[in-house]
Amino acid sequence: MEEDTIKIKDLIIIGAGPAGMTAGIYAKRSNLNPLIIESKMPGGRVVLTDFVENYPAFPEGISGQELAGLIESQCRNFGVEFENFVKVDLIEKDDNTFKLKTNKGDFFSKTVIVATGANPAELGIPGEREFRGRGVSYCATCDGPLFKNKNILVIGGGDSAVQEAIFLTKFASSVRVVHRRDKLRAKKILQEKAFNNPKIEILWNSNLLEIKGENSVERAVILNNKTNQKREIKIDGVFMYVGIKPNSSLVKNLVELNEKNSIITDYKMRTSVPGLFATGDVRNTPLKQIVTANSDGAIAAISAEEYLEYELR
Ligand SMILES: Cc1cc2nc3c(=O)[nH]c(=O)nc-3n(C[C@H](O)[C@H](O)[C@H](O)COP(=O)(O)OP(=O)(O)OC[C@H]3O[C@@H](n4cnc5c(N)ncnc54)[C@H](O)[C@@H]3O)c2cc1C
């Protein structure tokens, strides 16, 4: 490939969430000239989080939007370049150059850090897709205010489900958490807050089977998986927190993925393809959080620098 006919970057980072932007800061400080390509505006899933209380250095907590804005400012202060509203559909490797196919043409780079995060998983039940945006939501911060004085269900039992159920009590008159087991997976501190909130009821050993209505969500069919009894209850909205699926389709034919479609990396964020690194929620990380995404991003940037310096000859 002719370097003088095509502009080949040293490093392209895909995704401007905490992982990608931290990689940008570390890469810039290592004298690389990284470009961050982002399909939306910078920030990542953090902007969907009402309140972050476990990110160090903010003893009173901080809104997700504000935190994402601070990380972006730091990145921009270092002069990291951004291309927003560019979606990378596919990455190919030819010799030692990566070709990124996007909706705004092809980009070329010697190294790539994939920091594309993950999206909420669907439950896959009747009514879920039909009523998406008409009562079915995956984002309490975005849609919570639309449910003032309404009765809603939150599906799931992990940190996100419980945290967002608590948030939704600011608007809704009742929040029922539908959980398929008899114990929540959420951290104890969140569980206590939920148990002490008079607006929250937990429906234990329960599965949401179907969402019904005319133009918007009106009823839900719930199964008690211990007694096998089904019942139909009146509701106005359903918020889904049943897991996430990694945004790895852009490299699915290029790198090794695990059974959950997470990109497999080693401790240096190296994938099975030399020069291609992965960070944050898109990789096989044991903890999907902002602080771990940041850490991954820093390591990936340094690994990319080492690769350019010592391996790419
Ligand atoms: C409701 C909720 C509450 C949470 N609460 C907390 C909390 O309190 N504390 C905490 O530490 N963590 C929390 N998290 C988790 C945290 O938000 C994630 O772990 C973190 O954002 C992961 O960062 P990331 O950079 O890997 O991915 P993301 O933040 O998901 O960023 C990925 C970016 O890549 C972009 N992208 C994806 N595909 C492409 C493509 N093909 N081309 C170009 N760009 C692309 C996306 O638009 C996105 O901006 C919460 C998450 C949610 C959903």
Side-chain angles (χ1 to χ4, degrees):
M1 199 164 294
E2 292 295 324
E3 284 212 26
D4 48 346
T5 53
I6 298 168
K7 198 170 165 227
I8 303 176
K9 298 283 297 178
D10 278 338
L11 170 61
I12 291 183
I13 299 161
I14 308 169
M21 291 197 289
T22 308
I25 292 168
Y26 274 74
K28 195 73 195 182
R29 291 192 78 241
S30 298
N31 266 341
L32 296 178
N33 233 341
L35 167 67
I36 302 186
I37 295 183
E38 166 58 53
S39 59
K40 300 179 187 143
M41 287 293 287
R45 288 207 308 152
V46 183
V47 297
L48 305 178
T49 311
D50 170 51
F51 193 61
V52 178
E53 56 179 17
N54 58 2
Y55 189 78
F58 296 96
E60 310 304 327
I62 181 167
S63 85
Q65 193 102 38
E66 204 183 338
L67 180 59
L70 288 170
I71 303 175
E72 185 189 342
S73 298
Q74 193 164 356
C75 227
R76 291 197 187 273
N77 288 348
F78 278 110
V80 175
E81 198 189 336
F82 284 82
E83 281 275 2
N84 296 333
F85 303 109
V86 179
K87 182 169 183 286
V88 180
D89 294 316
L90 199 68
I91 306 179
E92 291 171 350
K93 190 175 185 192
D94 180 15
D95 288 334
N96 280 326
T97 304
F98 291 96
K99 179 176 172 182
L100 282 58
K101 296 186 162 186
T102 82
N103 57 328
K104 302 255 172 83
D106 296 340
F107 289 73
F108 298 88
S109 187
K110 292 175 192 163
T111 60
V112 173
I113 296 177
V114 180
T116 46
N119 273 331
E122 290 185 356
L123 195 55
I125 55 163
E128 182 178 12
R129 287 210 172 160
E130 190 184 341
F131 293 113
R132 196 173 180 150
R134 292 187 293 141
V136 173
S137 171
Y138 299 79
C139 176
T141 312
C142 323
D143 300 330
L146 305 173
F147 291 84
K148 215 164 176 3
N149 301 323
K150 304 280 187 198
N151 298 306
I152 53 184
L153 297 182
V154 169
I155 317 302
D159 283 346
S160 292
V162 177
Q163 185 173 330
E164 301 310 306
I166 296 165
F167 170 69
L168 286 164
T169 60
K170 286 187 189 176
F171 313 100
S173 42
S174 77
V175 177
R176 278 174 279 191
V177 177
V178 180
H179 185 46
R180 59 197 164 131
R181 303 189 205 286
D182 58 3
K183 269 192 213 99
L184 296 172
R185 270 183 299 108
K187 287 185 197 68
K188 285 279 175 294
I189 185 167
L190 287 173
Q191 292 195 28
E192 271 164 33
K193 280 189 186 170
F195 295 151
N196 291 329
N197 189 317
K199 283 191 180 176
I200 295 182
E201 181 192 355
I202 318 271
L203 306 184
W204 300 108
N205 302 308
S206 296
N207 297 50
L208 176 63
L209 294 186
E210 188 174 352
I211 301 164
K212 294 179 171 180
E214 293 298 323
N215 295 318
S216 59
V217 170
E218 290 171 12
R219 297 178 307 283
V221 182
I222 309 233
L223 169 79
N224 182 311
N225 59 39
K226 283 271 180 236
T227 63
N228 250 346
Q229 277 190 333
K230 277 188 206 169
R231 63 178 171 135
E232 200 165 295
I233 58 172
K234 280 182 125 187
I235 44 143
D236 304 298
V238 183
F239 285 79
M240 301 282 189
Y241 292 99
V242 294
I244 54 175
K245 51 178 193 329
N247 295 322
S248 58
S249 62
L250 71 173
V251 288
K252 71 173 188 294
N253 297 324
L254 188 63
V255 300
E256 267 181 54
L257 305 178
N258 70 12
E259 69 295 343
K260 291 182 175 159
N261 286 329
S262 300
I263 300 175
I264 298 173
T265 71
D266 65 7
Y267 72 104
K268 285 190 154 188
M269 308 302 140
R270 292 178 295 205
T271 68
S272 54
V273 175
L276 189 82
F277 306 85
T279 64
D281 285 5
V282 73
R283 78 169 190 98
N284 55 338
T285 172
L287 185 63
K288 291 180 169 50
Q289 290 280 281
I290 302 162
V291 77
T292 45
N294 287 346
S295 162
D296 282 5
I299 294 169
I302 300 307
S303 297
E305 186 208 0
E306 280 176 9
Y307 173 84
L308 287 164
E309 182 77 21
Y310 303 112
E311 290 178 51
L312 193 66
R313 292 279 165 201

